[in-house]
């Protein structure tokens, strides 16, 4: 890791307090260390967890905080020991920028479960300096936590894949659900949910979207390619789904009952939690026991899975449905995201926002 010598002063947009309102903020980045990649940010996706952190919804936020963990940019400098990247490469950075390298998850190439992982923002490096995210002109990251963007994939399309894409790809791969012929449910149709539909369909699954209202039916079926769409309050339609699904990916980021969805799973079916929720969820144990069903959760994905996912999406021509905004629109974008008023992911055009001094 680099030292403080020759630190660069850059500009980002930071939350200064739990209002979550972002404004310009200047701070320093370390010099490019031996294993570091110095990146000029081109664009950065906006994730619901950025909103949670900016507003201290999880009670662990530190300010000032520059969010953003779906970062795509161009390599402008590499350290002397960097072998994976060269100047001019287009690369991506996700939610993690450092781990211990020695624990069982790290040795198993599942470093996202390292108990000493360091987040790309709202965290501190081993030297005590705070990490800052991708809503900024530049970032510097250890090469292990950087991935190459496939040739031909637009940067703005790649950005959401670095969180939303790998978040649904990882459980499907890990639990052996990446084979054709399965029936899956996607619970919630936001940034992660819409990628769940596209990736599951590309794997050859029959996909049912389960939502709280009918307002996204046409988009789910016609635009995203889902096979069925069911409103969760429609008891008759929900009952028809009983014992039909091999898995449900639950992407809802707010508290909700699980009892409505567990009966939809077949024997040995799996409810996979992907939404970040700060309060307990409840269910009745017989709903699990009588079908040998599972409730589990996964967290983003490994660096290896992220590379696989990018290649998979590139080969299958999977794209995100995005709305591109400039940095000066970030607070309006946060407000709209909180109201679920986006189809389906905001991406900030950082390079076009002229953050450089």
């Amino acid at each position: 890791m680099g030292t403080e010598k020759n630190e660069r002063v850059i500009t980002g947009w930071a939350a200064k307090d739990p209002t979550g309102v972002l404004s310009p903020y200047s701070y320093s980045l370390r010099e490019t260390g031996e294993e570091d990649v110095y990146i000029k940010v081109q664009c950065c996706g906006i994730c619901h967890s950025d909103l949670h952190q900016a507003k201290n919804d999880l009670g662990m936020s530190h300010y000032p905080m520059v969010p953003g963990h779906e970062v795509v940019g161009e390599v402008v400098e590499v350290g002397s020991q960097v072998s994976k990247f060269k100047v001019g490469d287009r690369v991506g950075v996700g939610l993690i920028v450092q781990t211990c390298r020695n624990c069982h998850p790290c040795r198993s190439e599942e470093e996202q479960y390292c108990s000493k992982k360091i987040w790309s923002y709202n965290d501190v490096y081993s030297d005590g300096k705070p990490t800052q995210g991708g809503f900024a002109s530049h970032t510097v990251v250890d090469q292990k936590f950087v991935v190459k963007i496939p040739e031909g994939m637009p940067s703005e399309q790649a950005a959401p894949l670095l969180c939303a894409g790998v978040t649904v790809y990882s459980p499907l791969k890990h639990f052996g659900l990446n084979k054709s012929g399965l029936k899956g449910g996607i619970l919630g149709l936001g940034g992660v949910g819409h990628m769940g539909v596209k990736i599951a369909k590309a794997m050859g699954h029959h996909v049912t979207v389960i939502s709280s209202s009918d307002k996204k039916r046409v988009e789910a079926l016609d635009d995203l390619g889902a096979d069925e769409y069911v409103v969760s309050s429609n008891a008759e339609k929900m009952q028809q789904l009983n014992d039909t699904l091999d898995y449900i990916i639950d992407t809802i980021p707010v508290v909700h009952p699980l009892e409505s969805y567990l009966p939809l799973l077949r024997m040995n079916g799996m409810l996979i939690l992907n939404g970040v929720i700060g309060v307990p969820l409840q269910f009745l144990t017989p709903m699990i026991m009588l079908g040998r069903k599972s409730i589990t959760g996964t967290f983003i994905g490994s660096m290896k899975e992220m590379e696989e996912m990018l290649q998979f999406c590139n080969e299958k021509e999977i794209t995100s449905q995005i709305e591109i905004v400039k940095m000066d629109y970030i607070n309006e974008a946060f407000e709209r995201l909180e109201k679920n008023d986006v189809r389906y992911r905001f991406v900030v055009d950082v390079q076009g926002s002229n953050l450089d001094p």
Side-chain angles (χ1 to χ4, degrees), residues 198-246:
K198 291 194 168 196
I199 289 176
K201 284 297 296 179
M203 290 179 174
H205 298 180
H206 181 282
V207 178
T208 299
V209 170
I210 307 166
S211 187
S212 60
S213 75
D214 210 40
K215 64 182 181 180
K216 296 181 181 179
R217 177 182 295 274
V218 173
E219 299 164 36
L221 298 175
D222 295 348
D223 298 340
L224 303 181
D227 298 287
E228 295 185 54
Y229 186 98
V230 175
V231 177
S232 55
S233 59
N234 188 326
E236 180 181 353
K237 291 293 186 181
M238 289 287 282
Q239 188 172 17
Q240 291 174 5
L241 274 182
N242 281 356
D243 300 311
T244 65
L245 302 180
D246 296 293

Side-chain angles (χ1 to χ4, degrees), residues 5 8 104 132 135 148 150 152 154 158 161 167 170 172 188 254 256-257:
K5 183 182 177 182
R8 307 169 173 96
H104 175 65
Q132 302 290 7
F135 295 165
K148 191 170 291 187
L161 299 178
T167 292
S170 178
L172 293 173
V254 295
H256 57 285

Side-chain angles (χ1 to χ4, degrees), residues 33 36 57 61 82 91 98 124 148 158 164 172 178 213 223 227 231 252-253 312 343:
D36 284 338
D57 290 341
S61 297
V82 171
V91 297
Q98 196 54 266
V124 293
K148 191 170 291 187
L172 293 173
N178 58 336
S213 75
D223 298 340
D227 298 287
V231 177
I252 299 177
F312 177 83
R343 299 291 188 273

Side-chain angles (χ1 to χ4, degrees), residues 40-346:
K40 179 178 177 61
V41 179
Q42 295 176 339
C43 58
C44 186
I46 302 178
C47 177
H48 212 282
S49 60
D50 295 325
L51 183 62
H52 280 312
Q53 295 284 15
K55 293 199 167 188
N56 198 28
D57 290 341
L58 304 178
M60 51 188 241
S61 297
H62 301 281
Y63 304 99
M65 174 205 307
V66 177
H69 60 270
E70 298 177 346
V71 187
V72 176
E74 179 184 349
V75 176
V76 293
E77 185 177 274
V78 297
S80 60
Q81 298 301 311
V82 171
S83 57
K84 294 174 61 179
F85 308 99
K86 65 182 185 302
V87 172
D89 282 349
R90 206 160 44 99
V91 297
V93 179
L95 188 54
I96 297 173
V97 294
Q98 196 54 266
T99 60
C100 78
R101 316 286 182 103
N102 296 314
C103 66
H104 175 65
C106 285
R107 293 196 306 270
S108 303
E109 295 188 306
E110 294 183 304
E111 61 283 322
Q112 72 272 34
Y113 299 113
C114 173
S115 62
K116 296 180 181 179
K117 61 184 167 290
I118 297 176
W119 311 108
S120 56
Y121 69 90
N122 195 37
D123 207 344
V124 293
Y125 291 109
S126 56
D127 62 3
K129 187 168 182 175
T131 63
Q132 302 290 7
F135 295 165
S137 63
H138 295 78
T139 188
V140 58
V141 183
D142 187 297
Q143 67 171 339
K144 178 175 174 56
F145 302 94
V146 179
V147 293
K148 191 170 291 187
I149 303 301
E151 193 171 334
M153 178 180 285
S155 296
E156 65 273 13
Q157 288 292 340
L161 299 178
L162 300 173
C163 178
V166 75
T167 292
V168 292
Y169 179 89
S170 178
L172 293 173
K173 172 73 182 295
H174 176 77
F175 293 117
L177 300 170
N178 58 336
K179 55 190 177 184
S180 63
L182 298 181
K183 288 191 173 183
I186 303 297
L187 183 53
L189 198 60
V192 176
H194 100 284
M195 289 309 307
V197 174
K198 291 194 168 196
I199 289 176
K201 284 297 296 179
M203 290 179 174
H205 298 180
H206 181 282
V207 178
T208 299
V209 170
I210 307 166
S211 187
S212 60
S213 75
D214 210 40
K215 64 182 181 180
K216 296 181 181 179
R217 177 182 295 274
V218 173
E219 299 164 36
L221 298 175
D222 295 348
D223 298 340
L224 303 181
D227 298 287
E228 295 185 54
Y229 186 98
V230 175
V231 177
S232 55
S233 59
N234 188 326
E236 180 181 353
K237 291 293 186 181
M238 289 287 282
Q239 188 172 17
Q240 291 174 5
L241 274 182
N242 281 356
D243 300 311
T244 65
L245 302 180
D246 296 293
Y247 67 87
I248 296 172
I249 296 181
D250 183 347
T251 72
I252 299 177
V254 295
V255 65
H256 57 285
L258 299 183
E259 286 89 345
S260 301
Y261 311 109
L262 293 171
L264 311 184
L265 295 170
R266 292 173 171 166
M267 184 180 73
N268 297 324
M270 186 175 297
L271 177 69
I272 303 166
L273 298 173
N274 278 167
V276 178
I277 303 170
V279 295
L281 297 178
Q282 294 182 324
F283 63 93
L284 301 175
T285 56
M287 303 182 82
I288 298 295
M289 298 162 57
L290 296 177
R292 202 164 58 198
K293 302 172 184 179
S294 303
I295 297 176
T296 187
T298 58
F299 177 66
I300 50 171
S302 66
M303 298 309 299
K304 182 178 179 181
E305 287 172 331
M306 190 179 294
E307 290 173 344
E308 289 178 6
M309 177 273 307
L310 286 170
Q311 291 300 328
F312 177 83
C313 289
N314 200 41
E315 291 168 6
K316 299 290 186 179
E317 299 183 344
I318 297 173
T319 58
S320 309
Q321 292 193 211
I322 60 175
E323 180 178 336
I324 300 174
V325 299
K326 293 291 198 294
M327 190 63 75
D328 59 9
Y329 189 77
I330 190 72
N331 292 307
E332 287 86 351
F334 268 28
E335 289 176 6
R336 287 178 53 195
L337 179 61
E338 196 163 26
K339 298 173 183 175
N340 197 25
D341 178 26
V342 58
R343 299 291 188 273
Y344 283 90
R345 202 70 154 185
F346 284 115

